[in-house]
Coordinates of all heavy atoms in Angstrom, one line a residue:
M95 N -9.6 -13.4 0.3 CA -8.4 -12.7 -0.1 C -8.7 -11.3 -0.1 O -9.6 -10.7 -0.5 CB -8.2 -13.2 -1.6 CG -7.8 -14.7 -1.8 SD -7.7 -15.3 -3.4 CE -6.7 -14.2 -4.3
K96 N -7.6 -10.6 0.5 CA -7.5 -9.1 0.5 C -6.4 -8.6 -0.2 O -5.3 -9.0 -0.1 CB -7.5 -8.6 1.9 CG -8.7 -9.1 2.8 CD -8.5 -8.6 4.3 CE -9.7 -9.1 5.1 NZ -9.5 -8.7 6.5
L97 N -6.6 -7.8 -1.2 CA -5.6 -7.2 -2.1 C -5.5 -5.7 -1.8 O -6.6 -5.0 -1.7 CB -6.0 -7.5 -3.5 CG -6.2 -9.0 -3.9 CD1 -6.6 -9.1 -5.3 CD2 -4.9 -9.7 -3.6
F98 N -4.4 -5.2 -1.7 CA -4.1 -3.8 -1.5 C -3.1 -3.3 -2.4 O -2.2 -4.0 -2.8 CB -3.6 -3.6 0.0 CG -4.5 -4.1 1.1 CD1 -4.3 -5.3 1.6 CD2 -5.5 -3.2 1.5 CE1 -5.1 -5.8 2.6 CE2 -6.4 -3.8 2.5 CZ -6.2 -5.0 3.0
Q99 N -3.2 -2.1 -2.8 CA -2.3 -1.5 -3.7 C -1.3 -0.6 -2.7 O -1.9 0.4 -2.1 CB -2.9 -0.6 -4.7 CG -1.8 0.1 -5.6 CD -2.4 0.9 -6.8 OE1 -3.6 0.8 -7.0 NE2 -1.6 1.6 -7.5
L100 N -0.1 -0.9 -2.7 CA 0.9 -0.1 -1.9 C 1.3 1.2 -2.7 O 1.5 1.1 -3.8 CB 2.1 -1.0 -1.7 CG 1.8 -2.4 -0.9 CD1 3.2 -3.1 -0.9 CD2 1.3 -2.1 0.4
M101 N 1.3 2.2 -1.9 CA 1.8 3.4 -2.5 C 3.2 3.7 -1.9 O 3.4 4.0 -0.8 CB 0.8 4.6 -1.9 CG -0.7 4.4 -2.3 SD -0.8 4.2 -4.1 CE -0.8 5.8 -4.7
V102 N 4.1 3.5 -2.7 CA 5.6 3.7 -2.4 C 6.2 4.6 -3.4 O 5.8 4.7 -4.6 CB 6.3 2.3 -2.4 CG1 5.8 1.4 -1.4 CG2 6.3 1.6 -3.7
E103 N 7.2 5.4 -3.0 CA 7.9 6.3 -3.9 C 9.0 5.4 -4.6 O 9.7 4.6 -4.0 CB 8.5 7.3 -3.1 CG 7.6 8.3 -2.5 CD 8.3 9.5 -1.9 OE1 9.4 9.8 -2.3 OE2 7.6 10.1 -1.0
H104 N 9.1 5.6 -5.9 CA 10.1 4.8 -6.7 C 11.3 5.7 -7.0 O 11.1 7.1 -7.1 CB 9.4 4.6 -8.1 CG 8.4 3.3 -7.9 ND1 8.7 2.0 -7.7 CD2 7.1 3.4 -7.9 CE1 7.7 1.4 -7.6 NE2 6.6 2.1 -7.7
P105 N 12.4 5.2 -7.2 CA 13.6 6.1 -7.6 C 13.4 6.8 -8.9 O 12.4 6.3 -9.7 CB 14.7 5.0 -7.6 CG 14.2 3.9 -7.0 CD 12.8 3.8 -7.0
V106 N 14.1 7.8 -9.2 CA 13.9 8.7 -10.4 C 14.1 7.8 -11.6 O 13.3 7.9 -12.5 CB 14.9 9.9 -10.4 CG1 14.8 10.6 -11.6 CG2 14.6 10.7 -9.2
E107 N 15.1 6.9 -11.6 CA 15.3 6.0 -12.9 C 14.1 5.1 -13.3 O 13.9 4.7 -14.3 CB 16.5 5.3 -12.7 CG 16.6 4.2 -11.7 CD 17.2 4.9 -10.2 OE1 17.5 6.1 -10.3 OE2 17.4 4.1 -9.4
D108 N 13.3 4.8 -12.2 CA 12.0 3.9 -12.4 C 10.9 4.7 -13.0 O 9.9 4.1 -13.5 CB 11.5 3.3 -11.1 CG 12.6 2.2 -10.7 OD1 13.5 1.7 -11.4 OD2 12.4 1.6 -9.6
E109 N 10.9 6.0 -12.9 CA 9.7 6.8 -13.5 C 9.7 6.8 -15.0 O 8.6 6.9 -15.5 CB 9.9 8.3 -13.2 CG 9.7 8.5 -11.6 CD 9.9 10.0 -11.1 OE1 9.8 10.8 -12.0 OE2 9.9 10.2 -9.9
S110 N 10.8 6.5 -15.7 CA 10.7 6.4 -17.2 C 10.3 5.0 -17.6 O 10.2 4.8 -18.8 CB 12.0 6.8 -17.7 OG 13.0 5.8 -17.3
V111 N 10.1 4.0 -16.8 CA 9.8 2.6 -17.1 C 8.4 2.5 -17.2 O 7.5 2.9 -16.4 CB 10.3 1.5 -16.0 CG1 9.9 0.4 -16.3 CG2 11.8 1.8 -15.9
D112 N 7.9 1.9 -18.3 CA 6.5 1.6 -18.6 C 6.2 0.2 -17.9 O 6.5 -0.9 -18.5 CB 6.1 1.5 -20.0 CG 4.6 1.3 -20.4 OD1 3.9 1.3 -19.3 OD2 4.3 1.2 -21.4
W113 N 5.7 0.2 -16.7 CA 5.5 -1.0 -15.8 C 4.5 -1.9 -16.4 O 4.4 -3.1 -16.1 CB 5.1 -0.6 -14.4 CG 6.4 -0.1 -13.7 CD1 6.7 1.2 -13.5 CD2 7.3 -0.7 -13.2 NE1 7.8 1.4 -12.9 CE2 8.3 0.2 -12.7 CE3 7.7 -2.1 -13.0 CZ2 9.4 -0.1 -11.9 CZ3 8.9 -2.4 -12.2 CH2 9.7 -1.5 -11.8
T114 N 3.6 -1.5 -17.4 CA 2.6 -2.3 -18.0 C 3.2 -3.3 -19.0 O 2.5 -4.3 -19.4 CB 1.5 -1.6 -18.6 OG1 2.0 -0.7 -19.6 CG2 0.8 -0.7 -17.5
K115 N 4.4 -3.0 -19.6 CA 5.0 -3.8 -20.6 C 6.3 -4.6 -20.2 O 6.9 -5.1 -20.9 CB 5.5 -2.7 -21.7 CG 4.2 -2.1 -22.4 CD 4.6 -1.4 -23.6 CE 3.3 -0.8 -24.1 NZ 3.5 0.2 -25.1
I116 N 6.5 -4.6 -18.8 CA 7.6 -5.3 -18.3 C 7.2 -6.8 -18.4 O 6.1 -7.2 -18.0 CB 7.9 -4.9 -16.9 CG1 8.6 -3.6 -16.9 CG2 8.9 -6.0 -16.2 CD1 9.0 -3.1 -15.6
E117 N 8.1 -7.6 -18.8 CA 7.9 -9.1 -18.8 C 8.4 -9.6 -17.4 O 9.4 -9.3 -16.9 CB 8.7 -9.8 -19.9 CG 8.3 -11.2 -20.0 CD 8.8 -11.7 -21.4 OE1 8.8 -11.0 -22.4 OE2 9.1 -13.0 -21.4
P118 N 7.5 -10.6 -16.8 CA 7.9 -11.2 -15.5 C 9.2 -11.8 -15.6 O 9.6 -12.6 -16.5 CB 6.8 -12.1 -15.3 CG 5.7 -11.7 -16.1 CD 6.3 -11.1 -17.3

């Protein structure tokens, strides 16, 4: 299994979101 972290630019409205607390 090979795992990679993608580096993508997010829209400005996504910068205020705490992605660690989002529920699937």
